[in-house]
C-alpha cells in the first residue's frame, strides 16, 4: 500500500512550494488507494510557533487536501526517538562522543587551515582493537551514528535518477545532542519508518539529507522508502522565488480571490505535465498524476497563467458556490433576487473573486459618482432628451424586461428611428446606471436591475445633470 506524507515545520506560513509537494504526495497516495499522513515537524523549539502551526493547518483545510488518521507531532514523540537511540547504541551502530565544543572548534579550524573539508576525526568511534580515550568528567556526550567510512551511498531518486554521495560527505553525524534531544534527520527517519512511508516526495532542498537518512535506515536494518526530490519553483528570471514573485502564504491567495482548485491546478502543472493539457480537475489529476513524470528541472512561476486558470475556474463554478465564496469578501448575495443573472454575467469577466465582487457591485449598487471623463465625452446637449424618451419607451414596455432579447428588440428600432449612434444612448446609460463606461452590455444591466431601479438611476443622473456634487 502506498503511504505518503506532508511534513511541514511550523516555522512560518505554508508557502506554495510546500503546498505543491503536499499535493503531489496527496495525489500519489489517493490515486493508489493508499494513505496520506500529516506530520508536524516541531522539534526545533526555538523556531516553532503556535501561530505558524495554525496557519499551516488553516491553509491545508482551505485547499481541501484531506489527510488520514491523527496529525502526528514530533514534539510528542520524544520517548520513541530515545528508544531508537538506545537501540542503535546497543547494536553498536551509534556511539557516545565526549568531544567538547572547544575541541571540535579547534579540529575544524585546523582542517580548514589545511584546506580540508571539516570532518569529525573519529576520536570516539569504537573500532575493533581500538582503545577509546578516558571519559572526561562533567561532559554530557552527543550521540553519533557510525556511518560507513569509505565508498558511496547510492539510491535511485524517482525524479532525478541514480544518485550517489561519497560516504565522507555523510560523516559520523550527530543523532542526539548532549541535551538528549534528537536531531532533525534522525527524527524524520524514525517517523518515516514507523509510519511505514513507502514514498517520500519533497523539495530537492532536502536532497543532501537523504544519504544521512539512508545511513540511519541501514543502521536499523530497515529498507528505506522511495525518494522523489522535486525541483524548486523559480521566478520567471530563473532566480529564487521571492515574496514579490508569489512566494506567498497560501492564505494570501485566498485573500486575493483565488479559488483553491485553481491554485492546485496551477501547482500541479508547475513541475509536472501531461502532454500540453493545462486544466485538470481533481479527478483528472488523480487519474493522470505519477511522480515519475515530475520534471527534472526547476519550474518558473507564471502569475498570468494563475490568473487565467482562476478565471476559467470562476466561469465554471456554480453560482451557489460563488455566493458562498463571496461572503469571505463581505458580499452576501444570498437574498438578492437577481443573483443568478448578475453572477452569470459578471463571472464571464472576472479573473479573481475580488474582480467578481467589484463587477457585481458596479451593477448592483447605485453609482456613488459619475466618471468625469466619460461624462465629458458622452453626455451632450441632446442626452437628456434621448434618455427621457428612452425611459418613456421602457415605461410603456415593462414586459420587455423579461428577457435580454426582448430588451434588444425594443431598443434597436428606437435607435434606428432616432438615427442615433449606439454610444449616444448606451454610454450615458452606462454612466447613469453604473457610474462608468466600462460595464458590460447595457441590455444585461437593464435586465438585471429591472425597470424600477433603471428608472430611478436614470432620473437621478438627469436630476444631477451627471455632476458629482
Ligand atoms: N519538515 C521539512 C520541511 O518543512 C520537510 C521534511 C521532509 O519532507 O522530509 O521542509
Amino acid at each position: 500500500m502506498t503511504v505518503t506524507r506532508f511534513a511541514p515545520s511550523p516555522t512560518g506560513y505554508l508557502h506554495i512550494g510546500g503546498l505543491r509537494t503536499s499535493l503531489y504526495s496527496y495525489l500519489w497516495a489517493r490515486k493508489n488507494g493508499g494513505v496520506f499522513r500529516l506530520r508536524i515537524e516541531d522539534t526545533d523549539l526555538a523556531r516553532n510557533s503556535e501561530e505558524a502551526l495554525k496557519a499551516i493547518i488553516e491553509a491545508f483545510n482551505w485547499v481541501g487536501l484531506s489527510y488520514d488518521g491523527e496529525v502526528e507531532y514530533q514534539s510528542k514523540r520524544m520517548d520513541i526517538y530515545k528508544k531508537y537511540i538506545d537501540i542503535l547504541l546497543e547494536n553498536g551502530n551509534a556511539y557516545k562522543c565526549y568531544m567538547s565544543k572547544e575541541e571540535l572548534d579547534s579540529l575544524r579550524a585546523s582542517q580548514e587551515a589545511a584546506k580540508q573539508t571539516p570532518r569529525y576525526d573519529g576520536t570516539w568511534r569504537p573500532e575493533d582493537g581500538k582503545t577509546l580515550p578516558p571519559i572526561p568528567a562533567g561532559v554530557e556526550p552527543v550521540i553519533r551514528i557510525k556511518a560507513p567510512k569509505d565508498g558511496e551511498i547510492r539510491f535511485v531518486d524517482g525524479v532525478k535518477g541514480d544518485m550517489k554521495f561519497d560516504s565522507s560527505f555523510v560523516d559520523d553525524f550527530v543523532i542526539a545532542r548532549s541535551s538528549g534531544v534528537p536531531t532533525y534527520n534522525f527524527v524524520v527517519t524514525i517517523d518515516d519508518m514507523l509510519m511505514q512511508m513507502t514514498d517520500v516526495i519533497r523539495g530537492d532542498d532536502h536532497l543532501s539529507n537523504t544519504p544521512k537518512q539512508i545511513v540511519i535506515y541501514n543502521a536499523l536494518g530497515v529498507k528505506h522508502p522511495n525518494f522523489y526530490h522535486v525541483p524548486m519553483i523559480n521566478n520567471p528570471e530563473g532566480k529564487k522565488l521571492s515574496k514579490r514573485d508569489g512566494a506567498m502564504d497560501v492564505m494570501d491567495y485566498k485573500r486575493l480571490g483565488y479559488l483553491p482548485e485553481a491554485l492546485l491546478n496551477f501547482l500541479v502543472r508547475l513541475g509536472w505535465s501531461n502532454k500540453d493539457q493545462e486544466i485538470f480537475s481533481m479527478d483528472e489529476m488523480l487519474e493522470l498524476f505519477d511522480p515519475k513524470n515530475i520534471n527534472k528541472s526547476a519550474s518558473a512561476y507564471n502569475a498570468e497563467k494563475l490568473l487565467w486558470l482562476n478565471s476559467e475556474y470562476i466561469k465554471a463554478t456554480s453560482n451557489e458556490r460563488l455566493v458562498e465564496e463571496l461572503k469571505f469578501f463581505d458580499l452576501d448575495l444570498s437574498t438578492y433576487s437577481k443573483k443568478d443573472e448578475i453572477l452569470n454575467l459578471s463571472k464571464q469577466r472576472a479573473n479573481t473573486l475580488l474582480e467578481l465582487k467589484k463587477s457585481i457591485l458596479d451593477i448592483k449598487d447605485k453609482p456613488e459618482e459619475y466618471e468625469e471623463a466619460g461624462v465629458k465625452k458622452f453626455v451632450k446637449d441632446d442626452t437628456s432628451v434621448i434618455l427621457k424618451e428612452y425611459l418613456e419607451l421602457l415605461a410603456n414596455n415593462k414586459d420587455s424586461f423579461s428577457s435580454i432579447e426582448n430588451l434588444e428588440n425594443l431598443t434597436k428600432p428606437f435607435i434606428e428611428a432616432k438615427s442615433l449612434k449606439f454610444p449616444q444612448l448606451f454610454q450615458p446609460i452606462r454612466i447613469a446606471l453604473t457610474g462608468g463606461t466600462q460595464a458590460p452590455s447595457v441590455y444585461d444591466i437593464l435586465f438585471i436591475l429591472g425597470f424600477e431601479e433603471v428608472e430611478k438611476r436614470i432620473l437621478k443622473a438627469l436630476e444631477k445633470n451627471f455632476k458629482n456634487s
Side-chain angles (χ1 to χ4, degrees), residues 82-101:
K82 172 107 196 28
K83 186 177 125 198
Y84 282 93
I85 298 271
D86 289 343
I87 290 176
L88 288 178
L89 283 171
E90 268 161 39
N91 76 10
N93 282 324
Y95 60 92
K96 294 179 178 173
C97 166
Y98 292 87
M99 231 177 179
S100 65
K101 187 174 175 309

Side-chain angles (χ1 to χ4, degrees), residues 90-142:
E90 268 161 39
N91 76 10
N93 282 324
Y95 60 92
K96 294 179 178 173
C97 166
Y98 292 87
M99 231 177 179
S100 65
K101 187 174 175 309
E102 293 70 33
E103 285 173 297
L104 275 171
D105 287 347
S106 90
L107 173 66
R108 169 182 280 266
S110 64
Q111 287 170 333
E112 278 173 359
K115 302 245 178 304
Q116 292 164 351
T117 316
R119 289 194 64 176
Y120 177 62
D121 66 356
T123 303
W124 291 91
R125 178 177 166 122
E127 308 278 6
D128 285 346
K130 171 176 166 188
T131 316
L132 294 177
I135 294 176
V139 179
E140 280 302 324
V142 300

Side-chain angles (χ1 to χ4, degrees), residues 11-290:
T11 52
Y13 50 70
L14 177 60
H15 57 85
I16 53 164
L19 180 58
R20 185 182 58 156
T21 46
S22 67
L23 172 64
Y24 290 177
S25 304
Y26 170 90
L27 292 173
W28 190 228
R30 292 277 174 267
K31 176 192 177 104
N32 295 314
V35 169
F36 175 59
R37 304 289 313 267
L38 176 59
R39 180 172 80 223
I40 306 297
E41 307 214 311
D42 56 351
T43 50
D44 187 348
L45 297 177
R47 293 179 60 222
N48 287 334
S49 87
E50 190 62 31
E51 236 164 86
L53 174 61
K54 276 216 316 257
I56 290 173
I57 303 233
E58 187 193 12
F60 215 63
N61 288 338
W62 176 59
V63 295
L65 300 182
S66 60
Y67 49 84
D68 298 305
E70 295 291 309
V71 184
E72 295 283 3
Y73 293 86
Q74 289 187 326
S75 58
K76 296 185 185 154
R77 295 165 61 82
M78 288 300 163
D79 289 349
I80 299 174
Y81 308 134
K82 172 107 196 28
K83 186 177 125 198
Y84 282 93
I85 298 271
D86 289 343
I87 290 176
L88 288 178
L89 283 171
E90 268 161 39
N91 76 10
N93 282 324
Y95 60 92
K96 294 179 178 173
C97 166
Y98 292 87
M99 231 177 179
S100 65
K101 187 174 175 309
E102 293 70 33
E103 285 173 297
L104 275 171
D105 287 347
S106 90
L107 173 66
R108 169 182 280 266
S110 64
Q111 287 170 333
E112 278 173 359
K115 302 245 178 304
Q116 292 164 351
T117 316
R119 289 194 64 176
Y120 177 62
D121 66 356
T123 303
W124 291 91
R125 178 177 166 122
E127 308 278 6
D128 285 346
K130 171 176 166 188
T131 316
L132 294 177
I135 294 176
V139 179
E140 280 302 324
V142 300
I143 313 294
R144 290 185 182 273
I145 190 103
K146 211 171 168 189
K149 286 210 286 203
D150 321 296
E152 285 163 344
I153 295 157
R154 290 169 170 260
F155 65 96
V156 181
D157 186 284
V159 177
K160 295 175 184 280
D162 287 334
M163 303 302 296
K164 56 178 185 208
F165 289 82
D166 207 81
S167 293
S168 63
F169 170 81
V170 171
D171 211 0
D172 283 2
F173 60 93
V174 173
I175 56 173
R177 300 183 183 88
S178 54
S179 60
V181 176
T183 55
Y184 173 75
N185 280 307
F186 188 73
V187 298
V188 169
T189 307
I190 298 302
D191 283 343
D192 282 339
M193 173 183 83
L194 294 178
M195 294 164 99
Q196 300 178 331
M197 284 312 140
T198 56
D199 298 85
V200 167
I201 303 175
R202 61 187 171 204
D204 69 1
D205 48 338
H206 284 283
L207 187 60
S208 61
N209 288 324
T210 304
K212 293 185 176 180
Q213 296 178 7
I214 288 176
V215 166
I216 300 171
Y217 284 108
N218 291 344
L220 289 164
V222 178
K223 192 172 161 288
H224 66 74
N226 301 319
F227 293 105
Y228 302 85
H229 288 95
V230 185
M232 297 284 104
I233 304 171
N234 287 334
N235 72 10
E237 286 80 47
K239 302 254 164 54
K240 192 171 184 290
L241 198 62
S242 75
K243 224 173 190 156
R244 221 192 30 223
D245 306 307
M248 297 181 286
D249 176 353
V250 163
M251 291 310 278
D252 282 339
Y253 289 89
K254 176 174 189 188
R255 292 185 272 272
L256 289 171
Y258 290 93
L259 288 169
E261 304 89 307
L263 183 60
L264 293 180
N265 191 148
F266 175 66
L267 291 177
V268 84
R269 279 288 289 104
L270 265 185
W272 171 85
S273 56
N274 178 62
K275 306 194 188 101
D276 51 7
Q277 185 171 345
E278 290 293 356
I279 298 191
F280 294 88
S281 65
M282 187 42 89
D283 284 344
E284 284 174 306
M285 288 187 210
L286 286 167
E287 190 194 319
L288 298 165
F289 180 78
D290 189 319

Side-chain angles (χ1 to χ4, degrees), residues 370-380 427 431 435-437 466 468:
Y370 303 114
E371 178 200 303
E372 279 176 29
V375 170
K376 202 162 160 221
K377 186 158 174 208
F378 297 109
V379 177
K380 302 289 177 201
Q427 290 300 42
I431 298 170
T437 51
F466 289 88
N468 284 322

